Amino acid sequence: MLEDRAFGYLHRAFAAIFILYVLVPLGITAVMAFSDDNVIRFPIRGFSGRWFAQFFNDAQWINAAWNSLHIAVLTAFMSMILALPASYALANGKKARPVLQTLLILPLFVPGVVLGISVAMALGSVSLFGYDLFGSKFLVACAHTLWALPLAITVLVPTFETLDKSLMEAAGDLGAPPLKAFFNVIMPVAMTGIVSAGLFAFITSLNEFIMALFLTTRETQTLPVMLWLSLRSSATPQIAVASFVLAASVFTAVGLAYVWYGLSRRGKK
């Protein structure tokens, strides 16, 4: 009984810390997005939606937002294409698994500035079918995959480990080739973990700033890069609007994932 009570206190303390250090700053940013001032100031002196109007009428901000979305979707796609076979092999293989898994998650421990400079130096002068890679969304997505792929693998490996190993054997006994059995039997059962891994990859790319700073041009710069450049030149509430839009995009993606998860569980019942 005493342990349950102590656990309850710790749970409430963690919730309070989460609210103080995460939700309160986000709430202040959201309030400043509706400020009527010409500079960032809190508390605000009046409410207005003019900065939202300026943001959505500014082609450069909208282009940066679309660039972030395109790169995040491409990163999630590339990460899942690589993470699915790698995670399934790690979950079902024993030989050299610790070494391989360490190598796959190693980019998470490399600073973003190092990865950004390395990718720029290695591939910045490369052209693909007459198309320069430097400054392209594809190159930024490749760099973001270095971080998104390990996160996707850390989600997918436990997912595949918990699956019943007899599923593939049963599919094989019924005449299904291994690849067809994976797509028709394993993936539907593991769909919750797959969606979660893809969401991690998407959000990682959407919020990434350092590598994008080194790899984008004016035409392909992402919303976090645009935020940084605008903060250095003019600290207006329009920056708070951009921050609000970026945070809202992340929460919307997470919310849609929870809705999908709830509907899928209801369908199974």
Side-chain angles (χ1 to χ4, degrees), residues 182-211:
F182 178 80
F183 282 105
N184 293 342
V185 178
I186 299 299
M187 284 190 63
V189 179
M191 189 54 65
T192 300
I194 293 172
V195 172
S196 300
L199 184 64
F200 270 110
F202 177 84
I203 293 177
T204 299
S205 176
L206 194 67
N207 294 329
E208 203 284 322
F209 158 69
I210 299 177
M211 288 186 281

Side-chain angles (χ1 to χ4, degrees), residues 33-261:
F34 293 92
S35 174
D36 192 36
D37 292 328
N38 292 321
V39 295
I40 293 179
R41 181 187 293 118
F42 188 83
I44 64 175
R45 299 180 179 181
F47 286 90
S48 173
R50 66 187 181 99
W51 292 110
F52 277 90
Q54 289 190 23
F55 176 87
F56 287 106
N57 289 322
D58 192 321
Q60 193 172 1
W61 280 106
I62 298 302
N63 183 59
W66 279 114
N67 287 338
S68 292
L69 182 61
H70 293 161
I71 292 170
V73 170
L74 184 57
T75 299
F77 176 77
M78 295 169 59
S79 298
M80 296 309 297
I81 290 295
L82 298 172
L84 282 171
S87 301
Y88 189 74
L90 287 172
N92 293 277
K94 301 299 181 183
K95 292 184 178 180
R97 173 177 169 173
V99 176
L100 292 175
Q101 197 160 4
T102 301
L103 291 175
L104 287 171
I105 67 173
L106 188 61
L108 285 176
F109 303 100
V110 181
V113 62
V114 175
L115 291 177
I117 293 175
S118 300
V119 173
M121 293 177 63
L123 301 175
S125 59
V126 175
S127 296
L128 190 63
F129 303 111
Y131 181 70
D132 293 334
L133 286 181
F134 183 78
S136 66
K137 298 177 185 178
F138 177 74
L139 184 62
V140 181
C142 289
H144 285 180
T145 302
L146 293 174
W147 272 356
L149 177 61
L151 291 175
I153 288 176
T154 57
V155 174
L156 287 174
V157 169
T159 299
F160 288 135
E161 285 179 333
T162 58
L163 297 182
D164 189 352
K165 299 297 188 293
S166 62
L167 291 174
M168 285 291 287
E169 297 176 1
D173 293 339
L174 293 173
L179 191 61
K180 185 177 181 180
F182 178 80
F183 282 105
N184 293 342
V185 178
I186 299 299
M187 284 190 63
V189 179
M191 189 54 65
T192 300
I194 293 172
V195 172
S196 300
L199 184 64
F200 270 110
F202 177 84
I203 293 177
T204 299
S205 176
L206 194 67
N207 294 329
E208 203 284 322
F209 158 69
I210 299 177
M211 288 186 281
L213 181 64
F214 287 96
L215 299 173
T216 56
T217 62
R218 183 178 178 83
E219 289 74 25
T220 59
Q221 63 187 206
T222 61
L223 193 56
V225 173
M226 185 75 178
L227 268 167
W228 166 252
L229 297 176
S230 298
L231 183 62
R232 298 188 63 183
S233 59
S234 59
T236 67
Q238 196 169 21
I239 297 174
V241 174
S243 302
F244 178 83
V245 170
L246 188 60
S249 301
V250 173
F251 284 119
T252 299
V254 175
L256 290 175
Y258 271 106
V259 170
W260 173 87
Y261 178 71

